[in-house]
Amino acid sequence: MPLFGSTFSPKKTPPRKAASLSNLHLLDRSTREIELGLEYGTPTMNLTGQSLKFENGQWVAESGSFTGDRREMQRLRRRNQQLEEENNLLRLKVDILLDMLSETTAESHLMEKELEELRSHSRRRK
């Protein structure tokens, strides 16, 4: 038997109202654009005086905005390509050096083994 009255029983929540009273969600996209004026166009942005627009999933420079920087971009692309080629050459050299090191190490271990065998053989003769 509870001390201060009846057992705990929460009040029932009132029924929810409809989410939206508007019927615009029933219209197709083109009708909504006509009704609400939702013609946005392509997204654009301006970064440090350079205008970019979003087309086909990528940001593309608008015509005429990168004219002064095209040479710089081409120079950077050439420099990037040179660095990639140099990096590939250095990786090749490292691979060759590692191969040479492993070969030399293997030869050294064989020579040490032969030397130990000769020493043990000469001790047996004595």
Side-chain angles (χ1 to χ4, degrees):
M1 178 169 186
L3 186 62
F4 295 107
S6 66
T7 61
F8 176 74
S9 62
K11 294 182 180 179
K12 292 184 179 181
T13 57
R16 293 185 180 183
K17 294 181 180 179
S20 174
L21 299 177
S22 171
N23 62 355
L24 292 176
H25 66 280
L26 300 174
L27 300 176
D28 64 316
R29 182 174 182 236
S30 60
T31 310
R32 273 187 289 192
E33 286 178 356
I34 293 169
E35 291 290 324
L36 302 173
L38 297 177
E39 187 61 40
Y40 294 122
T42 59
T44 59
M45 72 175 167
N46 193 2
L47 292 175
T48 63
Q50 299 168 348
S51 182
L52 303 170
K53 61 182 176 179
F54 194 74
E55 288 182 350
N56 299 325
Q58 291 185 340
W59 288 99
V60 179
E62 287 188 356
S63 61
S65 64
F66 273 25
T67 54
D69 291 334
R70 278 203 184 138
R71 289 186 209 124
E72 180 70 14
M73 286 174 48
Q74 289 174 349
R75 185 187 68 77
L76 289 174
R77 283 188 183 132
R78 279 195 302 262
R79 180 68 175 143
N80 189 24
Q81 185 176 1
Q82 288 173 350
L83 290 174
E84 285 177 356
E85 290 172 0
E86 182 180 350
N87 193 18
N88 289 337
L89 178 66
L90 290 173
R91 286 182 184 183
L92 180 65
K93 287 182 178 182
V94 166
D95 287 341
I96 291 172
L97 286 173
L98 286 174
D99 289 343
M100 291 171 61
L101 178 65
S102 61
E103 183 180 346
T104 305
T105 304
E107 287 176 359
S108 172
H109 285 298
L110 284 174
M111 287 182 181
E112 286 177 5
K113 190 174 182 180
E114 287 179 12
L115 184 61
E116 287 297 321
E117 288 176 2
L118 287 174
R119 284 183 183 161
S120 67
H121 186 66
S122 67
R123 288 182 189 152
R124 289 183 198 159
R125 284 190 174 179
K126 290 184 181 179

